Amino acid sequence: MSRFRSLALLLLLTAAASASSLPASAQIPLFGGSSSPEPAAPAAPPLAAAPAPAVPVAPPSAAPAAVAAVPVTDGSIQIAWEVRNRFRLFREERDFREQVEALNGLTVLASEQTLGRQSEGRGWARNVVNRLCIDLAGRVNEPCTRDGVKESYLTPTEHPVTVRLAGAVPVGAICAWTFDDGDGSRNATQDCAEPINFRARYGKPTVTNVDITSGADAPLRVTTQIMVRDFFIAGLGDSIGSGEGNPDRAIALSDEGFCFKSYLGSGIGQFYRPSRAGFKGGRACEAPDTLANWQRYSATWFNAACHRSLYSYQTRTALALAVRHPHIAVTYLPLACTGATITDGLFGSQRARECFRTKSGTSCPGSVDGQLGELRAALTAAHRRQPDRTLDLVLLSIGANDINFSGLVADVIVDSPTERALFRRSGVIGSVEESRTALARTLPRDFARLREALKPMVEDLSRVVYVAYGNPALSNRGTPCPGGPAGFDIHPSFNADPTRLGAVTSFVDNEFLPRLKDLAQCSNGVLCRDPSTERMTFVDSHQRVFADHGFCARAATDPEFDRVCFSQSGNSFNADIVTAGNSPMTCGAGASNYRAYLPRARWIRDANDSYFAAMTYPQGLAAAIQPADIHDATWGVVSAVYGGAIHPTAEGHAAMADAALPAAETVLSLQPGPDVTSQPLPPPAGTLPQRVE
């Protein structure tokens, strides 16, 4: 170190020491912050800089006078900053950094495909799901410990920020940093090449100065203002909003078979399909076991009662906002629930979808509170601590269950006369005429109620981003799927009837989807009291790309297990119950080779996918069809469809997020900013599953 640089560093350290002599009440720790969500107590003195090496010092009379810093005005050096772990649902920064690295310069869809390959099809959410600020029962952790610091989830008082210099910074320069939010300055001196971390007070600007010393030249000064914008975003709606079909940790299937009884009047009345890995109970129909034992080996959901998933387009949109905009934080409250209608689900409670696993077994909530009530309660709690806290954005998809879309799906795929008669009597199978009546009468009335309920929460309904459904039955540039057993032979009675499929596809494209747009945007006869403030922001641009990726789409790039083991003629499973108990797949491969999150041409789960990804035993069934034991014929039907049949895959949800993201940025007045620079993840260990022969 030169004599001049040594003297400059000594002067800077002396100045920092002088600043630290402020009264304790005026000092704030640079590398810390309150460990409580409540307002911070008077802080300890700032951390001291590392001691400088001993250097020869001239007598006081020979010491040069302090040189005034020269402001940098040409932009050659800038202060760059970003909020760390700014998707506040994540408790650990490593999970957020994985998303930053995957999204670097890519669409949400491309990043999902990258993460799917890197995880060898097991999915990126399988471990993240246990590291969230909302537990598996759907309860917000207040406070939530994020990266070792306790924070109020709904009402943060500070945010972790990383600051660094960018531009033409002299090599070896020393930086003297000062951060002042009006409550006292915080100071640190260090090598300019090193980033510096601090916690920025929320709602207050932090004036940031850095004096850059290099050699004998006068110090350079750069100044900026740091102020984090924390957006409160809620997700509302039905199974499309919740992410149905995409458990955060997919079901682990056994290579052995499991017996289901059948309603079919002929034959032996039973069939075998893959069992759950780890299940040691009776796999034969003559050896019943308890549902509680069986549920211990179920898939893991972010919230099992609602089949809420981190793969949902709502979560991916909120997450992508946080990744793309380094100066914001996102507080995200997911409330969408599979099976929700406007009446039962948004306004009122609804039946829970499935039990969730605990350390001691399973927990089975009987019902789920209405989403609007949950959102009001969260806003009320937030206003108690921060009266100015507002709901900035709502992501919404609703309406399909209101016209009994699941009944239309059942009408298409349940083909056996015995099952059709049974499920029509119990109300499981619907019809286009019944749905058309609901679309004309019930849905407009309930949508008007929803609009009135949402307006006080957001004031202007343009802050509600309504994301439309994609037509699930199209491929090859919008050609309707032809029907048949392919993708549906998980149950012997399933077959996508071409005539009924064509009628439903036409109804969805020509009546249902256009009417939803009218309802959201107060158009074509839909009356709103004040259209200028009651029109929702409507998103449907993803429908064009879904036209190539319906449930019947296939490609040579599909996972090998799909291509080899899922028969296009409907012969995927061994019909011989003598051998199927040990080897249920006709291809001879084990079901454990299926990978739910590898990229594939279809962005819609078919019934085979639904079983292989989630294999759901729903608890929210009507009493008339509640199964008696785990081998019951009803379980054979519902386990194949209640896990997400005819719902978007993770890729489909990512494509929806890509469509929703620009609309959300517009609502929040966010201009696409520079990506946070990072290095790509290393290649995954191992290779993709070997070809199944």
Side-chain angles (χ1 to χ4, degrees):
M1 181 181 295
S2 71
R3 176 182 177 86
F4 289 108
R5 186 177 175 199
S6 300
L7 289 172
L9 179 57
L10 180 62
L11 288 172
L12 286 172
L13 291 173
T14 302
S18 299
S20 68
S21 65
L22 290 168
S25 61
Q27 298 175 23
I28 304 171
L30 183 62
F31 298 99
S34 170
S35 62
S36 165
E38 302 303 325
L47 295 179
V55 295
V57 180
S61 59
V67 180
V70 178
V72 176
T73 59
D74 62 359
S76 59
I77 304 177
Q78 310 94 31
I79 295 174
W81 63 276
E82 65 171 294
V83 183
R84 298 195 312 278
N85 197 8
R86 51 191 176 270
F87 186 60
R88 300 188 60 252
L89 181 65
F90 289 176
R91 286 196 283 115
E92 298 187 12
E93 186 174 13
R94 57 175 169 163
D95 297 324
F96 180 69
R97 296 309 305 177
E98 180 182 46
Q99 298 295 323
V100 171
E101 291 160 357
L103 268 165
N104 189 14
L106 300 177
T107 62
V108 181
L109 173 59
S111 72
E112 174 58 44
Q113 292 168 334
T114 297
L115 290 169
R117 294 186 185 98
Q118 289 175 350
S119 67
E120 297 185 350
R122 293 175 172 86
W124 58 266
R126 68 192 188 283
N127 296 320
V128 181
V129 70
N130 292 318
R131 299 192 290 261
L132 303 173
C133 282
I134 299 177
D135 67 21
L136 298 184
R139 297 182 296 259
V140 174
N141 295 329
E142 281 285 15
C144 181
T145 300
R146 303 181 66 246
D147 297 310
V149 178
K150 287 184 178 180
E151 301 176 355
S152 169
Y153 185 68
L154 295 177
T155 54
T157 59
E158 55 187 21
H159 294 86
V161 173
T162 294
V163 186
R164 56 174 54 87
L165 275 186
V169 182
V171 176
I174 299 298
C175 281
W177 293 91
T178 301
F179 301 88
D180 191 347
D181 60 11
D183 292 332
S185 63
R186 290 167 278 183
N187 309 282
T189 301
Q190 63 184 49
D191 192 309
C192 291
E194 297 298 323
I196 190 166
N197 297 326
F198 82 107
R199 296 187 70 84
R201 298 283 186 255
Y202 181 48
K204 301 186 70 174
T206 299
V207 177
T208 303
N209 294 306
V210 59
D211 286 352
I212 308 163
T213 301
S214 178
D217 296 333
L220 302 175
R221 175 167 293 178
V222 184
T223 301
T224 194
Q225 179 175 282
I226 294 174
M227 188 167 179
V228 179
R229 299 174 66 190
D230 191 295
F231 291 110
F232 187 5
I233 299 175
L236 301 176
D238 54 25
S239 54
I240 300 300
S242 71
E244 175 66 278
N246 300 280
D248 299 275
R249 189 177 300 131
I251 191 78
L253 292 177
S254 169
D255 294 341
E256 297 177 317
F258 180 85
C259 182
F260 290 104
K261 298 173 186 176
S262 175
Y263 291 118
L264 296 175
S266 59
I268 57 176
Q270 58 182 242
F271 60 96
Y272 278 82
R273 295 297 182 261
S275 182
R276 292 180 172 182
F279 177 67
K280 303 301 182 184
R283 294 185 294 108
C285 285
E286 297 76 22
D289 206 330
T290 65
L291 181 60
N293 187 29
W294 181 247
Q295 295 288 48
R296 292 172 56 199
Y297 305 96
S298 59
T300 299
W301 298 85
F302 175 14
N303 179 270
C306 286
H307 273 196
R308 201 174 290 147
S309 168
L310 291 173
Y311 293 105
S312 77
Y313 86 82
Q314 295 185 347
T315 301
R316 296 310 303 270
T317 300
L319 176 55
L321 283 169
V323 170
R324 285 170 59 121
H325 299 279
H327 294 173
I328 73 169
V330 172
T331 300
Y332 172 58
L333 186 63
L335 296 170
C337 196
T338 289
T341 66
I342 295 174
T343 299
D344 299 322
L346 267 63
F347 280 98
S349 62
Q350 65 175 96
R351 289 178 175 175
R353 190 65 156 186
E354 190 176 6
C355 304
F356 66 92
R357 292 189 296 177
T358 65
K359 291 182 179 179
S360 58
T362 57
S363 178
C364 300
S367 63
V368 178
D369 291 338
Q371 297 169 43
L372 294 175
E374 290 279 288
L375 183 55
R376 286 193 197 97
L379 288 170
T380 299
H383 288 157
R384 287 197 199 102
R385 292 185 176 181
Q386 293 178 353
D388 295 334
R389 185 69 153 154
T390 59
L391 180 61
D392 298 290
L393 182 74
V394 173
L395 297 165
L396 173 67
S397 293
I398 196 70
N401 294 319
D402 300 77
I403 60 125
N404 192 24
F405 183 76
S406 63
L408 296 181
V409 172
D411 185 41
V412 169
I413 68 173
V414 178
D415 204 42
S416 165
T418 303
E419 273 84 352
R420 286 188 64 80
L422 174 66
F423 287 117
R424 183 171 290 282
R425 286 198 303 270
S426 61
V428 172
I429 289 180
S431 70
V432 169
E433 283 304 315
E434 293 167 347
S435 295
R436 183 175 286 124
T437 298
L439 181 62
R441 299 177 183 175
T442 307
L443 185 56
R445 178 196 66 209
D446 290 344
F447 209 96
R449 290 176 59 216
L450 175 60
R451 183 180 285 109
E452 291 298 314
L454 286 173
K455 193 169 183 182
M457 299 187 198
V458 294
E459 295 184 2
D460 189 331
L461 288 182
S462 66
R463 291 191 171 274
V464 177
V465 177
Y466 186 98
V467 180
Y469 307 94
N471 192 320
L474 302 176
S475 68
N476 192 23
R477 300 180 181 180
T479 303
C481 289
F488 294 94
D489 55 337
I490 188 67
H491 194 277
S493 72
F494 287 179
N495 178 64
D497 179 82
T499 301
R500 297 193 296 267
L501 177 60
V504 170
T505 301
S506 176
F507 169 73
V508 169
D509 252 354
N510 301 320
E511 299 178 55
F512 177 53
L513 295 179
R515 191 57 174 169
L516 282 178
K517 186 172 185 177
D518 294 338
L519 292 170
Q521 297 203 302
C522 305
S523 59
N524 288 329
V526 175
L527 301 178
C528 298
R529 293 183 183 181
D530 182 4
S532 65
T533 62
E534 294 187 9
R535 289 190 184 96
M536 298 178 183
T537 298
F538 190 80
V539 173
D540 62 356
S541 59
H542 54 285
Q543 291 175 348
R544 293 191 297 273
V545 291
F546 267 80
D548 284 320
H549 297 282
F551 68 78
C552 61
R554 299 290 186 271
T557 55
D558 283 350
E560 287 189 73
F561 181 87
D562 294 28
R563 290 186 282 109
V564 174
C565 292
F566 286 155
S567 166
Q568 291 299 292
S569 59
N571 297 311
S572 306
F573 302 98
N574 190 345
D576 181 358
I577 64 170
V578 175
T579 58
N582 291 321
S583 182
M585 307 295 301
T586 57
C587 66
S592 61
N593 288 291
Y594 177 83
R595 295 291 181 264
Y597 296 109
L598 284 177
R600 41 180 54 88
R602 61 187 180 281
W603 294 353
I604 299 293
R605 300 268 188 219
D606 55 32
N608 291 2
D609 292 323
S610 172
Y611 185 98
F612 275 65
M615 195 187 180
T616 298
Y617 271 46
Q619 66 180 105
L621 294 175
I625 59 171
Q626 190 67 41
D629 66 69
I630 62 174
H631 299 283
D632 191 278
T634 301
W635 285 134
V637 175
V638 300
S639 64
V641 294
Y642 272 68
I646 318 302
H647 282 76
T649 64
E651 289 177 275
H653 278 283
M656 294 176 72
D658 280 324
L661 188 56
E665 288 176 325
T666 299
V667 169
L668 298 174
S669 300
L670 291 171
Q671 297 299 320
D675 291 332
V676 179
T677 305
S678 62
Q679 295 298 318
L681 288 171
T687 58
L688 294 175
Q690 298 298 310
R691 182 176 183 84
V692 181
E693 301 296 346

